[in-house]
Amino acid sequence: MTEPWTVLRLIRTGTEWLEERGVESARLDTEHLLAHALDTDRLQLYLQYDRPLTPEELAAFRPLLRRRGAREPLQYITGRGAFRELDLQVDPRVLIPRPETEVLVQVVLDRVAGETDLEALDLGTGSGCIGLSLLVEGPFARVVATDPSRDALDVAACNARAVGPAAERFELRQGAGFDPIAPGETFDVIVSNPPYVALADAESLQPEVRDWEPSGALFAGAEGFDVLDLLAASAADRLRPGGWLFVEVGAGQTDPFAARLDASGRFRAASIHRDLSGRPRIVAARIA
């Protein structure tokens, strides 16, 4: 008699198959994919390890596993990405929200705690994860969120609608850099997770990043500083007195970017903050 494809057997087999293809989180990803195929959550899988799957359930699961084996990111397969208090729609039009960026939001919230009715600019919003988190969790009356990509703004708009009433204070504008900002328009906070990967570093990226995520949201010139230099040169002109700039940068970029801000003479001494892995990742500076 053929051994049935139970939940546990599928998890074990799927994990081994993904491990052979270089997927680092093979067990966790297999569980997420199986839960997605069964329209349940991972906890329920643990409660029904011995349940055989129907042919229809197997047919739903196997293509998902093949996609992950081809190194398509889990979040693009399921169409969802968790970020702080938000459950976001994500697809190849936007970067996948990451834990490092959750820390960026926390640094912002810590710095503006106790203030009220602030206005923020989320430069390069992508999925909208930063700006929407600021509206949901912080003292922000309004967030203007920009992105060069119309496709990305469509995803951000969808995520804003899911947030509820806060979406009324979330204004989307298309354009690169500060182009979408009107002359004389200023903010209390500018926050950005900009492109910062050097073109020469493309081959060193994981396939999930290099082959699937939007290149326009990843790469910023030969050294990765194209957008960071723009922020260092122009952000101060868009900040109100006492305003803050918060930027997530790549490995090895915190000190050079902080030095650029300090050299501008427009900011007080920039501070550097570490991500969850202890790596310097976030630069914060206040108008002098």
Side-chain angles (χ1 to χ4, degrees):
M1 182 177 178
T2 304
E3 181 182 356
W5 283 104
T6 64
V7 168
L8 181 57
R9 184 185 176 201
L10 274 175
I11 290 174
R12 288 174 172 170
T13 303
T15 299
E16 293 174 1
W17 192 80
L18 290 182
E19 286 176 342
E20 291 171 358
R21 283 150 182 82
V23 176
E24 294 181 357
S25 53
R27 169 84 182 214
L28 181 62
D29 287 5
T30 301
E31 292 178 354
H32 276 297
L33 291 172
L34 185 54
H36 182 70
L38 300 180
D39 193 24
T40 186
D41 55 46
R42 289 179 57 231
L43 175 60
Q44 292 303 313
L45 298 181
Y46 287 94
L47 300 177
Q48 49 182 320
Y49 264 169
D50 297 328
R51 180 175 79 80
L53 271 69
T54 67
E56 293 77 15
E57 290 170 335
L58 286 171
F61 170 67
R62 284 172 171 156
L64 304 181
L65 192 69
R66 286 194 292 270
R67 290 170 65 182
R68 188 69 188 100
R71 306 300 290 271
E72 182 176 354
L74 174 70
Q75 293 88 343
Y76 289 166
I77 299 171
T78 63
R80 309 304 302 177
F83 186 85
R84 294 180 67 90
E85 298 181 7
L86 304 176
D87 176 34
L88 300 169
Q89 173 186 322
V90 292
D91 61 38
R93 293 176 290 177
V94 296
L95 289 182
I96 296 166
R98 288 169 167 79
E100 293 87 354
T101 310
E102 294 188 14
V103 176
L104 170 64
V105 171
Q106 190 60 54
V107 171
V108 177
L109 295 175
D110 289 344
R111 287 294 180 273
V112 302
E115 300 193 43
T116 59
D117 296 328
L118 300 179
E119 294 187 327
L121 170 62
D122 175 11
L123 197 76
T125 192
S127 66
C129 61
I130 295 173
L132 290 172
S133 291
L134 294 179
L135 284 175
V136 170
E137 300 184 54
F140 290 89
R142 173 174 170 259
V143 171
V144 173
T146 70
D147 203 283
S149 167
R150 180 70 256 174
D151 286 340
L153 292 176
D154 289 343
V155 176
C158 179
N159 286 322
R161 288 191 293 270
V163 164
E168 298 176 1
R169 298 179 281 120
F170 190 63
E171 181 181 338
L172 293 168
R173 302 182 191 175
Q174 185 178 3
F178 292 101
D179 290 349
I181 308 306
E185 187 176 13
T186 58
F187 301 88
D188 301 293
V189 167
I190 296 175
V191 59
S192 184
N193 175 21
Y196 52 68
V197 180
L199 289 171
D201 294 335
E203 290 305 313
S204 68
L205 300 176
Q206 289 288 324
E208 287 87 345
V209 178
R210 182 187 64 240
D211 299 337
W212 291 95
E213 298 198 69
S215 60
L218 289 171
F219 300 107
E223 298 181 359
F225 266 88
D226 283 6
V227 182
L228 294 177
D229 282 339
L230 171 68
L231 288 167
S234 303
D237 294 329
R238 301 298 185 174
L239 285 169
R240 296 166 184 166
W244 283 94
L245 173 66
F246 302 91
V247 184
E248 177 182 329
V249 301
Q253 293 178 328
T254 49
D255 287 341
F257 181 59
R260 283 163 164 80
L261 294 178
D262 292 342
S264 74
R266 305 291 301 278
F267 294 93
R268 305 175 193 176
S271 60
I272 294 172
H273 306 263
R274 297 181 181 272
D275 64 17
L276 296 173
S277 300
R279 296 169 296 188
R281 180 57 69 100
I282 295 154
V283 177
R286 196 171 196 178
I287 284 290

